[in-house]
Amino acid sequence: MKISKTEENYLKVIFSILEKGKPSASTNAISKKMQTSAASVTDMVKRLAKKKLAIHESHKGVKLTKRGGQIATMLLRKHRLWEVFLVDKLDFLWDEVHEMAEELEHIQSKEMIDRLDSFLGNPKFDPHGDPIPDAEGNFATRQQTPLNEFKVGEKGTVVGVRESSTPFLQYLDQLDLGLGSKVEILEKFEYDNSAKILLNKSKEIVITGKVCLNLFLQK
Amino acid sequence: MKISKTEENYLKVIFSILEKGKPSASTNAISKKMQTSAASVTDMVKRLAKKKLAIHESHKGVKLTKRGGQIATMLLRKHRLWEVFLVDKLDFLWDEVHEMAEELEHIQSKEMIDRLDSFLGNPKFDPHGDPIPDAEGNFATRQQTPLNEFKVGEKGTVVGVRESSTPFLQYLDQLDLGLGSKVEILEKFEYDNSAKILLNKSKEIVITGKVCLNLFLQK
DNA sequence: TTTTATTTTTAGGCTAATCTAAAAATTTAT
DNA sequence: ATAAATTTTTAGATTAGCCTAAAAATAAAA
């Protein structure tokens, strides 16, 4: 059975909602992420259910079947491997690759993606620190904590970002605060959740609460 | 103006027909190559004409506008560069890459393809010996002659194939007669256009008229 | 607990790309 | 030059994916 690019995009969005711990993805949540009307979502969800990729109970949101989840996972694998390719081999910056990977992730061949994986040296994380599923769909796990949960005096290394929008990533580049940066918390300001940090043992900077919330560090 | 994948495929097919020296591409010729009905072709050709990508006079076939030709050329560029990537970097065989390249050629970013070009070392020919247009759309030319036009005693190097179907390429692999092979014509048999050749200065083999017709050599 | 607000679904329509069958135009052959 | 064959176009239908507007179901508030 053939799965269209559009269907794949819905599976990805549903997967990303379920991944956040929700028991099911609501029509509205999906329509917001997909930038389509709620009516279109209902349409598509029924089609996915008919293809045994999703489970849909009227007015109760949608879940993915095992197969639906596998497809979504392979899309993440492809997306993230292509991002590594674009950054490592074609020298793009981490904030430039998302759109291209959105297209590349729909290329079919499993053999190709497995070879790409090994060509890239079987990376475990993409340029934003997100884990890359292996050929069987297993994600690497890593002990990581959002910066806002760190206490004064604690140290860590930036290993991921919660959000990978271009403006946020460019802002991090400006701060010189990319993946691999060493951070020590010097002060925390409760009234706006900002913090003063020592960056790479050399530079003291103040970062906002939003940045603290969106950076993942390994202690 | 957005151009769909389907429209791109039509442009490619029309371009390939015009490339063979035809003054215009007929509805029937296009429908055969596209595996669709003639009626669908008429429909699409009108759409392409409305978008100023093609010129269509009823019952007189279709030509491409400058822009239509440019788009087709960029598709060839993308297709052939991806084929080089798949063979040189991911170690696929020359007969395995066509289908994957058919998908990859529709990825948009011009910046990406230019970087891919330089990552691959600006190759001038793809794994089948077909010329790769540069970023401005210029094709490399090369003095090449089909093997059937060679005379007894003449020598040459295989630089291209007229047809790149999987069975033909696999057959060439079996004969050990890939790109770069050195060939000397020992005998020509007129009754069926077959020939006896000395391959790589070491092995004498007989090849059929069809093979002679489909191999391009540089003298 | 009834009213109000929100969410979801249904109904009906649109466009791109396809099809088959039939009509019109062109080409080939007698 | 007219008939026959072929090619091309038109007409009308279909499917996927989308829309808006209205109806139905559920959740929130008074």
Side-chain angles (χ1 to χ4, degrees):
Chain A
M1 194 203 330
K2 212 168 46 196
I3 297 163
S4 74
K5 187 168 158 177
T6 312
E7 289 168 332
E8 288 191 341
N9 284 332
Y10 273 93
L11 289 176
K12 253 182 39 183
V13 162
I14 296 166
F15 187 86
S16 77
I17 293 169
L18 296 176
E19 215 180 16
K20 293 199 179 74
K22 306 272 167 65
S24 79
S26 78
T27 301
N28 244 6
I30 298 169
S31 83
K32 247 158 229 151
K33 282 220 184 194
M34 288 291 296
Q35 314 252 68
T36 58
S37 73
S40 302
V41 173
T42 303
D43 255 26
M44 176 56 86
V45 157
K46 282 181 180 171
R47 241 173 290 148
L48 294 175
K50 203 185 297 177
K51 289 193 176 182
K52 306 280 183 207
L53 299 172
I55 299 155
H56 181 230
E57 273 187 281
S58 204
H59 292 94
K60 288 189 177 173
V62 61
K63 299 166 208 257
L64 294 183
T65 61
K66 188 174 173 187
R67 199 163 123 61
Q70 282 169 345
I71 292 168
T73 303
M74 282 304 125
L75 286 166
L76 280 185
R77 169 168 165 80
K78 291 194 273 183
H79 184 104
R80 292 173 183 173
L81 282 172
W82 280 118
E83 286 197 342
V84 172
F85 171 73
L86 293 169
V87 169
D88 284 10
K89 303 298 180 182
L90 302 193
D91 299 322
F92 281 102
L93 302 175
W94 68 339
D95 61 284
E96 300 176 317
V97 296
H98 184 75
E99 288 307 310
M100 289 177 268
E102 285 287 297
E103 293 189 64
L104 286 161
E105 75 192 2
H106 298 289
I107 307 293
Q108 293 299 322
S109 169
K110 169 141 178 66
E111 175 68 19
M112 180 181 68
I113 213 67
D114 290 346
R115 289 194 188 208
L116 178 65
D117 193 5
S118 100
F119 175 64
L120 297 172
N122 303 108
K124 297 284 165 286
F125 298 93
D126 78 9
H128 313 108
D130 295 316
I132 300 173
D134 68 17
E136 281 72 47
N138 306 303
F139 289 80
T141 53
R142 175 180 56 196
Q143 185 261 318
Q144 62 177 32
T145 318
L147 184 47
N148 65 304
E149 291 178 14
F150 275 60
K151 298 190 184 76
V152 171
E154 288 186 310
K155 297 175 188 175
T157 306
V158 178
V159 295
V161 290
R162 173 170 271 136
E163 188 209 319
S164 51
S165 70
T166 301
F168 180 56
L169 298 179
Q170 285 178 349
Y171 181 55
L172 291 182
D173 280 340
Q174 264 178 37
L175 296 177
D176 199 24
L177 190 58
L179 294 200
S181 300
K182 305 282 179 192
V183 169
E184 177 180 347
I185 313 293
L186 300 177
E187 284 183 73
K188 291 185 76 170
F189 307 107
E190 297 298 334
Y191 75 105
D192 66 354
N193 297 308
S194 66
K196 193 203 273 185
I197 63 171
L198 178 63
L199 178 55
N200 291 323
K201 295 177 186 169
S202 57
K203 193 166 59 169
E204 288 187 12
I205 61 173
V206 172
I207 55 180
T208 66
K210 195 180 170 193
V211 172
C212 291
L213 196 67
N214 284 314
L215 274 186
F216 291 118
L217 280 78
Q218 194 159 35
K219 279 182 191 172
Chain B
M1 194 203 327
K2 210 169 47 194
I3 297 163
S4 74
K5 187 168 159 177
T6 312
E7 289 167 332
E8 288 191 340
N9 284 332
Y10 273 94
L11 289 176
K12 252 182 37 180
V13 162
I14 296 166
F15 187 87
S16 76
I17 292 170
L18 297 175
E19 215 181 17
K20 294 200 178 73
K22 306 271 165 68
S24 78
S26 76
T27 302
N28 245 6
I30 298 169
S31 83
K32 248 156 227 154
K33 282 219 185 195
M34 288 291 298
Q35 314 252 65
T36 59
S37 73
S40 303
V41 173
T42 302
D43 255 28
M44 176 55 86
V45 158
K46 283 180 178 171
R47 242 174 287 147
L48 294 175
K50 202 184 297 176
K51 288 192 176 181
K52 305 279 184 208
L53 299 172
I55 298 155
H56 182 230
E57 274 187 279
S58 205
H59 292 93
K60 289 189 177 173
V62 62
K63 299 167 207 256
L64 294 182
T65 61
K66 188 174 173 186
R67 198 163 125 58
Q70 282 170 344
I71 292 169
T73 303
M74 283 304 125
L75 286 166
L76 279 185
R77 170 169 164 79
K78 290 193 274 182
H79 184 105
R80 292 173 182 172
L81 282 172
W82 280 117
E83 286 197 341
V84 173
F85 171 73
L86 293 170
V87 169
D88 284 10
K89 303 298 182 184
L90 301 193
D91 299 322
F92 281 102
L93 302 175
W94 68 339
D95 61 283
E96 298 176 317
V97 296
H98 184 75
E99 288 307 310
M100 288 177 270
E102 285 288 297
E103 293 188 64
L104 286 161
E105 74 192 2
H106 298 290
I107 306 294
Q108 294 297 324
S109 168
K110 168 139 178 68
E111 175 68 19
M112 180 181 68
I113 212 69
D114 291 345
R115 289 196 187 207
L116 178 65
D117 193 5
S118 100
F119 174 64
L120 297 172
N122 303 108
K124 296 284 166 285
F125 299 93
D126 78 9
H128 312 109
D130 295 317
I132 300 173
D134 68 17
E136 282 71 47
N138 306 302
F139 287 81
T141 53
R142 175 180 57 194
Q143 186 260 316
Q144 61 177 33
T145 318
L147 185 46
N148 64 305
E149 291 178 16
F150 273 62
K151 299 190 185 76
V152 170
E154 288 188 310
K155 297 175 190 175
T157 305
V158 177
V159 294
V161 291
R162 175 171 268 133
E163 187 210 318
S164 52
S165 70
T166 302
F168 180 57
L169 298 178
Q170 285 179 349
Y171 180 55
L172 291 181
D173 279 341
Q174 262 177 37
L175 295 177
D176 200 22
L177 190 57
L179 293 199
S181 301
K182 306 281 181 193
V183 169
E184 178 181 347
I185 314 292
L186 299 178
E187 284 184 72
K188 290 185 76 171
F189 307 106
E190 298 297 335
Y191 75 105
D192 66 353
N193 298 309
S194 67
K196 194 203 271 184
I197 63 172
L198 178 63
L199 178 56
N200 291 324
K201 296 179 185 168
S202 58
K203 194 166 57 169
E204 290 186 11
I205 61 172
V206 172
I207 55 179
T208 66
K210 196 179 170 193
V211 172
C212 291
L213 196 70
N214 284 314
L215 274 186
F216 291 118
L217 281 77
Q218 193 160 36
K219 280 181 189 170

